[in-house]
């Protein structure tokens, strides 16, 4: 029986640093997890490994279990069953025998984070549900998962109550079922996995950028083109750790791409549809701010004051009224499309406009219709 050569490291695992996007090279173990605030919105890990020339043939599930710290063999096998282990460009099964020089890529949902999760009977707006997954329309103001200062009232608390009979939601995992997330004050669609295999397969789709996500965003000013693409690495701001920052030269942060299309121009603000190619923290918010068009009433990125418009009192009162109706950034995850991990069928969902954003858009419609009256 082949035995592992222990005279030298058999592989180097490389994981992107969530803050700098520089490779973290570690021998035989996975890179340590970054602070919660430094992670991207897509909740998966990606490792690249090259098998050392001194490595004897060994089942890949055992090989990876030995190399990736705190990663169980069952988790590795689930990844293989889901097609998430790629060797030399091809998906392999857990029984595949690694060979010297093999280049391995593996995508895993983030490891479980143990925490005492209190099940809470919080109403959920369930758009779709079957035995494998759910699609939720999250209201603005709800935190997706527990964290500093938010240990109750989160979506995970609600899911732990609603799905308390399922294994995935019975072990106090603070990210149970989550493959991606949206900000507390952003409304809209999220897909939730109900089992490990579905979780792994959805993670792969996010990694491969085959998930279709579109957002509605109301931004300050007139966007320069009817359609455009914003490309700029996103990382934590060195001046304010609560904010993200665009590093245009790619010297820090992670590659990020946002496509936008103008839906309606109101003169001083623009309604746009944004399509995410990548899923970085605050991506649309920070990309639009970098373009010079912060989201309407986005306090973190400077959109909570009058940036465009007149000096007339009526206009100032109009903006104040809009901010009162919509006390958050004007961002809504309106549509979500993906391939069902079990059936292979393409699913696509749309979420209606939340009442607060709908009312503000109606006010802007009235404003441009009666604009002379506001400028008396």
């Amino acid at each position: 029986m082949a035995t592992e050569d222990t005279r030298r490291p058999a592989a180097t695992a490389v994981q992107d640093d969530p803050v700098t996007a520089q490779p973290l090279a570690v021998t035989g173990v996975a890179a340590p997890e970054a602070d919660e605030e430094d992670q991207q919105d897509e909740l998966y890990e990606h490792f690249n490994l090259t098998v050392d020339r001194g490595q004897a043939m060994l089942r890949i599930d055992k090989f990876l279990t030995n190399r990736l710290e705190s990663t169980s063999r069952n988790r590795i096998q689930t990844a293989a069953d889901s097609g998430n282990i790629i060797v030399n460009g091809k998906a392999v099964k857990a029984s595949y025998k690694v060979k010297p020089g093999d280049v391995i890529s593996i995508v895993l949902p983030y490891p479980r984070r143990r925490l005492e999760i209190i099940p809470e009977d919080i109403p959920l707006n369930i758009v779709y549900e079957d035995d494998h997954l759910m699609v939720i329309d999250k209201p603005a103001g709800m935190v997706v998962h527990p964290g500093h200062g938010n240990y109750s009232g989160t979506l995970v608390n609600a899911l732990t109550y609603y799905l308390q009979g399922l294994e995935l939601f019975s072990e106090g995992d603070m990210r149970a079922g989550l493959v991606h997330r949206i900000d507390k004050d952003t409304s809209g669609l999220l897909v939730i996995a109900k089992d490990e295999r579905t979780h792994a397969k959805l993670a792969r789709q996010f990694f491969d950028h085959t998930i279709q996500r579109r957002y509605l965003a109301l931004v300050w000013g007139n966007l320069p083109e009817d359609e455009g693409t914003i490309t700029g690495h996103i990382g934590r701001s060195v001046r304010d750790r609560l904010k993200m920052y665009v590093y245009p030269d790619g010297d820090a942060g992670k590659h990020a791409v946002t496509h936008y299309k103008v839906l309606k121009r109101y003169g001083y603000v623009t309604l746009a549809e944004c399509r995410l190619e990548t899923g970085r923290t605050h991506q649309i918010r920070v990309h639009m701010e970098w373009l010079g068009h912060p989201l309407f009433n986005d306090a973190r990125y400077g959109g909570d004051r009058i940036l465009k418009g007149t000096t007339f009192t009526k206009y100032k009162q109009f903006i104040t009224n809009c901010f009162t109706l919509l006390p958050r950034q004007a961002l809504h995850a309106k549509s979500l499309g993906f391939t069902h991990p079990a059936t292979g069928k393409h699913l696509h969902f749309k979420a209606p406009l939340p009442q607060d954003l709908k009312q503000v858009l109606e006010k802007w419609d009235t404003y441009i219709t009666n604009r002379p009256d506001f400028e008396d």
Side-chain angles (χ1 to χ4, degrees), residues 77-78 80-83 93 193 195-202 341-342:
Q77 290 172 339
T78 299
D81 290 343
S82 304
K93 298 298 184 183
D195 58 74
E196 293 280 6
R197 184 180 176 85
T198 301
H199 204 189
K201 287 202 167 208
L202 286 172

Side-chain angles (χ1 to χ4, degrees), residues 158-298:
L159 291 171
T160 302
Y161 178 88
Y162 182 77
L163 300 172
Q164 56 189 293
L166 300 182
E167 180 181 356
L168 201 60
F169 296 85
S170 64
E171 300 181 6
D173 179 9
M174 65 181 286
R175 298 196 195 95
L178 299 179
V179 192
H180 63 134
R181 57 188 168 193
I182 55 180
D183 296 333
K184 172 185 175 182
D185 289 327
T186 297
S187 55
L189 297 174
L190 285 164
V191 59
I192 309 296
K194 296 170 76 171
D195 58 74
E196 293 280 6
R197 184 180 176 85
T198 301
H199 204 189
K201 287 202 167 208
L202 286 172
R204 185 77 209 188
Q205 290 186 53
F206 275 98
F207 175 73
D208 291 336
H209 305 309
T210 58
I211 300 280
Q212 296 95 47
R213 288 171 292 168
R214 284 179 166 80
Y215 290 70
L216 281 179
L218 185 66
V219 304
W220 279 106
N222 257 319
L223 288 170
E225 305 289 342
D226 287 341
E227 295 187 32
T229 297
I230 309 169
T231 302
H233 280 55
I234 293 177
R236 186 67 48 185
S237 169
V238 296
R239 295 183 178 181
D240 183 348
R241 297 294 294 174
L242 295 179
K243 295 177 65 174
M244 305 305 287
Y245 184 77
V246 175
Y247 296 87
D249 297 327
D251 55 340
K254 281 190 171 185
H255 175 68
V257 180
T258 303
H259 305 280
Y260 71 83
K261 177 182 179 181
V262 170
L263 299 179
K264 191 165 187 176
R265 297 183 184 274
Y266 293 96
Y268 301 137
V269 295
T270 303
L271 180 66
E273 178 186 89
C274 296
R275 178 171 63 85
L276 291 182
E277 187 172 310
T278 55
R280 312 304 180 200
T281 299
H282 299 174
Q283 180 170 318
I284 294 173
R285 298 166 66 188
V286 69
H287 263 173
M288 283 299 180
E289 189 240 4
W290 181 59
L291 195 64
H293 299 274
L295 267 62
F296 190 76
N297 208 16
D298 188 346

Side-chain angles (χ1 to χ4, degrees), residues 89 98 132 234 269 314 330 339 373:
V98 298
H132 304 280
I234 293 177
V269 295
K314 281 188 177 180
T339 300
D373 294 339

Side-chain angles (χ1 to χ4, degrees), residues 103-125:
V103 177
I104 303 170
S105 170
I106 179 170
V107 174
L108 299 165
Y110 261 127
R112 296 180 182 182
R113 291 281 299 273
R114 306 292 184 186
L115 189 71
E116 184 182 0
I117 305 294
I118 301 172
E120 295 181 68
D121 187 7
I122 301 170
L124 291 169
N125 186 357

Side-chain angles (χ1 to χ4, degrees), residues 40-55:
Q40 60 188 34
D41 286 347
E42 297 169 353
L43 301 177
Y44 60 78
E45 295 178 305
H46 175 228
F47 298 93
N48 281 317
L49 305 92
T50 300
V51 180
D52 187 85
R53 62 184 181 182
Q55 171 65 45

Side-chain angles (χ1 to χ4, degrees), residues 135-153:
V135 176
I136 303 293
D137 187 356
K138 185 190 82 69
M142 175 182 271
V143 175
V144 171
H145 62 69
H148 297 295
N150 294 289
Y151 292 104
S152 66

